[in-house]
């Protein structure tokens, strides 16, 4: 009886130990004790219940406390509620704190609210701060322009820009800068009377483009525009003249072909008329024997007159045969 009692008590103790171990493990997994100790050690005053509240609000305490420790060590005052609200809004808390530290080191006046707004706008706020300190160089591809003398000029430029913190929210990006500079280069080359003027003084392109204030409405400030390379392309004017000459030739050929077709049609029409007239002649000739017979019957002509007419016809046919033998080309042309 005593042995059963001891054995049952031992099982109860083991069961209670297991339950206690599970409860402690769940508590330690839910309550970030290690993170709380790290914050206290770093001098960040945050309560354990605040960390539990973050868990309940589905906020990862590590994403908030570690950036807060970093900001505290850098001497930047930010509240836990600010970091937590930015995290809940979908922002990158660690990136924002890094940008605030970089701005403080570079003596740039940047508040947490402004930095958070830039981050939520989809811009890399840390890169923007770094670009404010270290300007970025944007290299454009070759941009083609045609001078007034018809020669194509290709120019490649390097644009040195610095981020404008005040215009990062709502300002245009790098693509707009490249497009505006390209438009300015094309306009400057096109206004040059000769391509040699561009080759002799490429700085005129950068000076003209830079004076147009192309960075207005963008998130950047253009510091300089430098022409890196200038090259000569095609003779566009000559190509256009050649194409125009080919087009004029084709038009002239088409008109000549039209006139030739009209001449051929007129020739065929004249041949048809000749055949028609010959048919009429044959028809008229077919009536001559009838007319002779009627004249003989009526006594208007005699037999001797008829034979004389036949002799004249025979003589005429003989002369025609002789002429055809002596000059065949003429008669062939007439037959055609």
């Amino acid at each position: 009886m005593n042995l059963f009692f001891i054995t049952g008590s031992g099982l109860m103790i083991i069961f209670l130990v297991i339950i206690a171990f599970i409860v402690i493990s769940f508590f330690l997994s839910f309550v970030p004790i290690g993170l709380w100790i790290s914050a206290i050690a770093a001098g960040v005053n945050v309560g354990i219940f605040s960390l539990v509240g973050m868990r309940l609000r589905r906020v990862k305490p590590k994403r908030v406390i570690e950036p807060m420790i970093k900001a505290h060590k850098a001497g930047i005052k930010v509240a836990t509620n600010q970091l937590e609200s930015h995290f809940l809004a979908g922002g990158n808390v660690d990136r924002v704190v890094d940008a605030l530290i970089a701005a403080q080191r570079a003596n740039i006046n940047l508040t947490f609210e402004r930095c958070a707004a830039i981050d939520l706008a989809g811009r890399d706020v840390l890169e923007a701060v770094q670009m404010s300190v270290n300007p970025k160089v944007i290299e454009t591809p070759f941009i083609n322009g045609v001078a007034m003398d018809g020669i194509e000029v290709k120019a490649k430029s390097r644009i040195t820009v610095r981020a404008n913190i005040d215009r990062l929210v709502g300002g245009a990006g790098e693509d707009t800068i490249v497009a505006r500079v390209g438009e300015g280069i094309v306009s400057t080359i096109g206004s040059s009377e000769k391509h040699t003027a561009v080759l002799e003084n490429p700085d005129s392109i950068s000076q003209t483009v830079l004076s147009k204030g192309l960075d207005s409405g963008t998130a950047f400030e253009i510091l300089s525009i430098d022409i890196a390379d200038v090259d000569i392309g095609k003779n566009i004017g000559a190509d256009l003249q050649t194409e125009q000459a080919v087009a004029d030739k084709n038009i002239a050929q088409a008109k000549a072909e039209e006139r030739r077709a009209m001449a051929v049609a007129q020739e065929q029409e004249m041949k048809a008329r000749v055949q028609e007239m010959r048919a009429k002649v044959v028809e008229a000739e077919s009536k001559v024997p009838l007319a002779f017979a009627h004249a003989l019957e009526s006594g208007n002509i005699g037999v001797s007159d008829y034979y004389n007419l036949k002799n004249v016809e025979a003589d005429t046919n003989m002369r025609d045969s002789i002429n055809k033998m002596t000059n065949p080309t003429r008669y062939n042309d007439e037959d055609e």
Side-chain angles (χ1 to χ4, degrees):
M1 187 70 177
N2 293 333
L3 180 61
F4 177 77
F5 178 76
I6 295 172
T7 304
S9 300
L11 292 175
M12 183 63 69
I13 293 172
I14 294 173
F15 179 73
L16 292 176
V17 170
I18 293 174
I19 294 297
F21 179 76
I22 293 174
V23 171
I24 293 172
S25 299
F26 177 76
F27 178 77
L28 292 177
S29 63
F30 188 78
V31 180
I33 299 296
L35 187 62
W36 176 68
I37 295 173
S38 299
I40 296 299
V44 177
N45 186 15
V46 59
I48 189 68
F49 294 104
S50 296
L51 300 179
V52 174
M54 292 181 188
R55 289 284 193 186
L56 295 175
R57 290 186 293 271
R58 295 185 179 182
V59 176
K60 296 181 180 180
K62 186 177 181 180
R63 296 287 184 88
V64 175
I65 299 303
E66 287 185 353
M68 191 171 183
I69 294 174
K70 191 189 302 183
H72 179 75
K73 290 297 183 181
I76 299 174
K77 294 182 180 181
V78 290
T80 307
N81 292 333
Q82 289 178 313
L83 299 179
E84 188 176 350
S85 63
H86 186 65
F87 177 83
L88 290 173
N92 191 331
V93 178
D94 192 64
R95 201 74 171 172
V96 169
V97 171
D98 289 342
L100 288 174
I101 295 173
Q104 184 191 47
R105 296 292 186 270
N107 198 20
I108 298 175
N109 186 16
L110 182 63
T111 61
F112 176 83
E113 288 76 13
R114 185 66 178 173
C115 192
I118 295 171
D119 182 60
L120 293 176
R123 300 216 182 248
D124 193 336
V125 62
L126 179 59
E127 182 182 358
V129 173
Q130 292 173 347
M131 196 184 298
S132 298
V133 179
N134 185 19
K136 180 180 180 180
V137 177
I138 303 173
E139 185 170 342
T140 65
F142 273 106
I143 299 172
N144 302 340
V146 181
M148 297 177 67
D149 59 356
I151 305 299
E152 182 184 31
V153 180
K154 302 178 181 179
K156 179 189 290 186
S157 63
R158 290 189 176 93
I159 312 167
T160 305
V161 296
R162 180 171 57 195
N164 192 328
I165 302 295
D166 296 332
R167 293 190 305 210
L168 279 176
V169 178
E174 296 181 9
D175 294 339
T176 302
I177 294 290
V178 174
R180 290 181 179 179
V181 171
E183 181 183 357
I185 291 175
V186 172
S187 176
T188 305
I189 294 175
S191 62
S192 301
E193 294 184 359
K194 296 183 179 180
H195 69 283
T196 54
V198 180
L199 298 177
E200 293 173 357
N201 189 16
D203 291 340
S204 61
I205 299 177
S206 59
Q207 292 174 2
T208 304
V209 174
L210 192 59
S211 63
K212 293 184 178 181
L214 303 179
D215 54 1
S216 61
T218 65
F220 304 97
E221 178 186 354
I222 298 178
L223 300 179
S224 65
I225 300 175
D226 304 310
I227 303 301
D229 192 9
V230 179
D231 196 4
I232 298 297
K234 299 179 180 179
N235 191 337
I236 304 297
D239 292 344
L240 292 176
Q241 291 178 358
T242 302
E243 293 177 359
Q244 184 64 40
V246 172
D248 293 341
K249 184 190 72 173
N250 294 333
I251 293 173
Q253 288 179 347
K255 291 182 177 179
E257 182 64 23
E258 181 180 1
R259 290 193 297 269
R260 188 191 69 81
M262 292 179 63
V264 171
Q266 187 175 7
E267 180 183 2
Q268 295 298 325
E269 183 179 357
M270 293 302 294
K271 288 182 178 180
R273 293 182 63 184
V274 168
Q275 294 297 329
E276 182 181 358
M277 296 303 294
R278 285 180 179 177
K280 290 181 179 180
V281 170
V282 172
E283 182 181 1
E285 289 177 349
S286 65
K287 295 179 180 180
V288 172
L290 296 177
F292 273 118
H294 181 70
L296 288 173
E297 289 179 357
S298 61
N300 292 327
I301 60 173
V303 176
S304 59
D305 296 329
Y306 176 75
Y307 281 109
N308 290 332
L309 180 61
K310 286 294 184 180
N311 291 331
V312 172
E313 288 181 356
D315 184 66
T316 302
N317 291 333
M318 182 185 65
R319 291 176 183 275
D320 289 340
S321 299
I322 295 172
N323 287 330
K324 288 182 180 180
M325 293 176 61
T326 57
N327 192 6
T329 305
R330 174 184 174 186
Y331 285 91
N332 289 334
D333 294 339
E334 289 179 357
D335 292 336
E336 293 178 356

